Amino acid sequence: MTSQPTRAARAMLTVAIVCGVAAVALSVYADAALHGGRTVVGSWLPFTAACLAIAASALFMLIGDSFPSAPPFILAGAVACLLAGSYLGLFVAPPEHFMGEVQRIMYVHVPTAWSALLALTFAFGCAIVSLFTGAWKWDAKLEGGVEVGVLLGFLLCCQGAIWAKPTWGVWWDWDPRLTTTAVLVCAFLGILALRHFVDDPVKRATWSAVATIIAYVDVPIVYYSVRWWNSLHQMQSSPETVSPQFYLPLRLNAFGVLFLMTGFIVLRSRIAAARIATELAPPPPELLGELA
Amino acid sequence: MTGGYVTGGWSFVWAAYGWTALVFATYGLSLFLRIRKSR
């Protein structure tokens, strides 16, 4: 279910590409500036780079239907960022003082966490628009956002368990951050199950949109759980608290996972849109004849 | 762990990166197959 790209869609695609490239370029520049001794991190630069990457991702997800050939390019960019970021994280960045080599898991764990919450935020936005407009394309995008969010949430829990074993001594602990994350994954998994079992597209769209809005309440709880309660999990880092050597691999992997998430959501939404179009299509004349 | 410092641990690092790559590749493949089926 793709439409011919309009002039506005082409303009948005151009802006998205410029934003994505600028985000990566700004991060590389910030890293070079850091190693040159300038205190550029902690200023507007990392924040701007992150905003540009998120803007690029949001634009791609909004106009993805109009450009069938766009996802392979987004995915190729994602893989390039991930390969570069993982190489730097595994072989170039030094080990952390206390956690040693295990800290290198941060370069995939933290980007996965950010992207999981962003995917579910996208689904939340689609749920609201779907309820207000009733347009099917938002229902399809919601399905894409929820499924990719659940995938990233599941992966996040696995990576966290692998990190927890050598640092905490256990694979899992019912700590506030871990528990709220598990609840989040289960809640959105339930929404996918709901969508699978409800055959009526109208009821499915409405119920899953409402359920998504309710389940999304857990997202800020997950984010703030380490501040609100006494948690084993460390608090969020900021550009001021991340060592300069860790900056570029983390950023490149963050953009890589973000662009991967974007490509996956665009592709998954397309599958959902095709299925919805089939469900809404009138039955073939032969079947109508049999029924009559 | 010795004296508050984590030593070693490369196997955990490879496990995390390997599992991440496997999950992403498998999901990407499943999307590709589902798109082909939906056409």
Side-chain angles (χ1 to χ4, degrees):
Chain A
M1 208 161 68
T2 55
S3 53
Q4 279 297 316
T6 60
R7 211 172 189 176
R10 286 180 195 281
M12 284 166 77
L13 179 71
T14 309
V15 173
I17 293 170
V18 169
C19 285
V21 173
V24 177
L26 273 181
S27 292
V28 173
Y29 170 73
D31 180 70
L34 264 173
H35 285 95
R38 277 179 279 164
T39 54
V40 71
V41 169
S43 69
W44 57 274
L45 207 49
F47 179 72
T48 308
C51 289
L52 284 172
I54 292 168
S57 167
L59 284 172
F60 273 126
M61 286 191 284
L62 291 177
I63 58 167
D65 299 340
S66 308
F67 299 96
S69 56
F73 290 102
I74 303 169
L75 294 175
V79 170
C81 284
L82 280 171
L83 286 176
S86 298
Y87 172 76
L88 292 174
L90 286 170
F91 304 113
V92 178
E96 200 265 344
H97 185 65
F98 293 103
M99 282 188 279
E101 310 295 353
V102 173
Q103 175 269 340
R104 296 179 198 278
I105 296 173
M106 177 188 77
Y107 304 124
V108 284
H109 181 63
V110 175
T112 305
W114 288 340
S115 291
L117 297 187
L118 284 174
L120 296 176
T121 302
F122 176 74
F124 171 72
C126 292
I128 291 176
V129 180
S130 170
L131 277 181
F132 275 99
T133 65
W136 292 107
K137 71 172 187 175
W138 296 107
D139 184 51
K141 287 179 194 295
L142 179 149
E143 188 171 313
V146 171
E147 187 173 295
V148 175
V150 167
L151 175 88
L152 291 171
F154 164 73
L155 189 58
L156 176 68
C157 292
C158 295
Q159 293 163 343
I162 295 170
W163 194 349
K165 182 62 180 167
T167 51
W168 298 348
V170 288
W171 295 102
W172 184 264
D173 184 81
W174 293 105
D175 142 281
R177 168 57 74 85
L178 276 64
T179 307
T180 51
T181 306
V183 168
L184 186 75
V185 173
C186 291
F188 280 96
L189 198 60
I191 293 168
L192 287 179
L194 172 81
R195 291 189 66 86
H196 186 74
F197 291 119
V198 178
D199 291 328
D200 181 350
V202 178
K203 283 181 182 168
R204 185 177 58 214
T206 309
W207 291 355
S208 55
V210 172
T212 300
I213 292 168
I214 295 169
Y216 187 77
V217 170
D218 195 29
V219 169
I221 296 175
V222 167
Y223 186 79
Y224 287 107
S225 57
V226 286
R227 295 174 187 269
W228 290 343
W229 297 296
N230 188 18
S231 176
L232 262 176
H233 195 284
Q234 68 225 54
M235 279 202 197
Q236 297 93 348
S237 300
S238 67
E240 290 88 352
T241 59
V242 173
S243 295
Q245 297 95 330
F246 305 157
Y247 174 78
L248 194 58
L250 181 62
R251 275 298 163 123
L252 285 178
N253 271 359
F255 295 151
V257 179
L258 179 69
F259 297 151
L260 203 62
M261 174 204 88
T262 306
F264 282 167
I265 289 179
V266 171
L267 289 174
R268 184 61 184 82
S269 304
R270 204 170 284 171
I271 296 167
R275 197 199 61 242
I276 292 168
T278 310
E279 289 170 342
L280 297 175
E286 313 88 69
L287 186 64
L288 281 176
E290 281 175 27
L291 291 172
Chain B
M1 190 183 295
T2 50
Y5 296 88
V6 180
T7 50
W10 269 109
S11 55
F12 290 99
V13 176
W14 289 121
Y17 277 76
W19 179 243
T20 302
L22 183 71
V23 168
F24 282 149
T26 308
Y27 186 71
L29 183 68
S30 87
L31 282 181
F32 174 72
L33 294 175
R34 283 189 278 175
I35 281 182
R36 272 186 60 179
K37 198 179 162 190
S38 72
R39 275 177 188 159

